[in-house]
Amino acid sequence: MNPRFLKGTAVLCRMLALFPFAVLTEAAGVGKYIWWHYPVFFAVMILFYAVGFLAGKIIAVAHFSKAVRPFAVFSSRAAVLLPAAVFIILTHSLELSSMLYLYVLPAALIAYYSGYRAYGREYGDLFSMGWLGLFFVSAVVSCIILNFSNIPEIYSAAVKQMCVVFGLITVLASLLANQTNIDQRTRQRSAGKSVLPNGLRGYNAMLIGGISAAIVALFLTAKPLAALIVKGIAALLGVILALIRDYGSEMEYSPDIENNGAVGEFTESADNSFFTILWLLFMVLALIMIIRFRRQILGFLKELFAPLFRESRLEAPQPFADEITDTMSKFDFARSQRRTEQRLLRQFKKESDPRKKFRFGYGLFMLRLSRSAFPPLPADTTSVHSQKGISAFRREEIADIVSVYNEVRYGDKIPSPEHLEAQRRLIEELR
């Protein structure tokens, strides 16, 4: 297919993922659905996306010194305040509803950073499962908010609109996933041998058929399913409130008549042992989870704030499927991982072919990465390995090693002795 068409489809899916914000703006902010408000909403989203794309492109193509570049990257990401200020000024001058700040502005910020990260990326990276998650979470939150409006017509119309858009996103996402799957398989063939495996197109046809069947089932059960979710959440909240009410502290009245004329007094009982035990168990469980996943939590916090000052390095996306190392299926088991690392290390040291030696070294790098706060996933590409490696080990030369691996693995290039030595030093330092 035409790459421009696929990129446009991916951007369209990103915009449609923000549709629940538009529905919530109409239902909660306006109180009714006006058709021409939707094109205006998406026009604002496209403007923010375009400004973000321009800022990302400037940072990618401009040449800054090392001292200036972190400040330039931070400034480009903080530049979202300019279109946001224009939006606030226009909203205030036109005397529009203040609910736009609550529902439209967050979607506009998402659109800006979506465009900022879009420059130089292929269609497979422009739309991912995270956007489906964004649509689903925002749609569920919108339904919960609108359910408290006690206006069945508005709630029912909102559910129908979001179900239709969800079906459209799913069909377009299946199209992108189908083409991405074909591209990844063909890129694994080096020297231009782009031969598809047997049964690939049949598998993709079954995938699209299954997704379409799920969409039809969703349309048929959308309203009762949404009502069931809301009732389940309400029941859970009711149980929690009942526990707090039944086992909380109570006021008791003691009708003792005394000589000074006092009729009685109120005393507070402390019969809240069940709720106290439940709360303590919850706190202990939360503390255990924090200790157990402390590396992942610390890595997440670092990754959350580090991109504000670090330049994004874009690599040509390549799927990781190396039949020589074959390590990805063994990352989940500690004993198998140790045996795999010992085997790869022996093969890495005794291998004389520089291409195989470099690929064995990449397998060792993957094993080192699997023990970090950013372990690789089976679906990750080599560009994702590069980003995770830099985030986990703070070593910028990992991007160069991954780039050489792409040329060796997919271009059948012979690595130079300097590249082999750099990889050896990196593996030794990443223990």
Side-chain angles (χ1 to χ4, degrees), residues 347-365:
Q347 292 175 325
F348 175 73
K349 291 181 178 180
K350 71 179 182 180
E351 183 59 54
S352 59
D353 187 350
R355 286 172 292 192
K356 290 185 178 180
K357 187 180 184 67
F358 201 89
R359 290 167 71 175
F360 284 133
Y362 193 83
L364 290 171
F365 161 70

Side-chain angles (χ1 to χ4, degrees), residues 250-257 261-269:
E250 297 179 355
M251 301 297 294
E252 295 182 355
Y253 178 69
S254 301
D256 296 334
I257 302 177
V263 178
E265 61 180 0
F266 286 98
T267 59
E268 183 178 358
S269 64

Side-chain angles (χ1 to χ4, degrees), residues 151-284:
I151 304 177
E153 295 78 10
I154 291 180
Y155 174 75
S156 178
V159 171
K160 289 180 181 179
Q161 292 179 49
M162 287 187 286
C163 285
V164 171
V165 174
F166 180 71
L168 179 59
I169 291 177
T170 309
V171 172
L172 295 177
S174 63
L175 174 65
L176 294 173
N178 175 48
Q179 192 62 34
T180 302
N181 192 14
I182 292 176
D183 289 347
Q184 286 184 350
R185 294 299 183 92
T186 54
R187 284 171 182 166
Q188 291 176 10
R189 273 69 183 168
S190 61
K193 299 177 182 179
S194 301
V195 180
L196 294 177
N198 294 329
L200 177 61
R201 294 191 182 275
Y203 166 76
N204 291 330
M206 292 178 58
L207 178 65
I208 295 176
I211 292 175
S212 301
I215 293 172
V216 174
L218 181 63
F219 284 160
L220 295 177
T221 61
K223 188 173 182 179
L225 182 61
L228 182 63
I229 293 175
V230 172
K231 289 182 179 179
I233 296 175
L236 179 61
L237 294 176
V239 171
I240 295 175
L241 292 176
L243 289 174
I244 296 175
R245 182 178 62 253
D246 294 340
Y247 294 93
S249 60
E250 297 179 355
M251 301 297 294
E252 295 182 355
Y253 178 69
S254 301
D256 296 334
I257 302 177
E258 300 180 358
N259 296 330
N260 57 3
V263 178
E265 61 180 0
F266 286 98
T267 59
E268 183 178 358
S269 64
D271 188 14
N272 59 351
S273 58
F274 179 80
F275 179 72
T276 302
I277 294 173
L278 189 64
W279 179 253
L280 289 176
L281 289 176
F282 174 77
M283 295 298 296
V284 171

Side-chain angles (χ1 to χ4, degrees), residues 294-300 368-376 388 391-393:
R294 61 188 183 278
R295 294 176 60 188
Q296 287 79 357
I297 295 174
L298 181 61
F300 171 76
R368 302 287 195 273
L369 184 61
S370 66
R371 295 197 295 264
S372 69
F374 303 92
K388 288 186 175 181
S391 300
F393 304 116

Side-chain angles (χ1 to χ4, degrees), residues 29 39 47 74 79 134 137 140 154 183 206 282 317 326 335 398 401 417:
L47 287 175
F74 176 78
L134 172 65
V137 172
V140 171
I154 291 180
D183 289 347
M206 292 178 58
F282 174 77
D326 190 21
R335 294 182 60 187
I398 290 178
I401 298 297

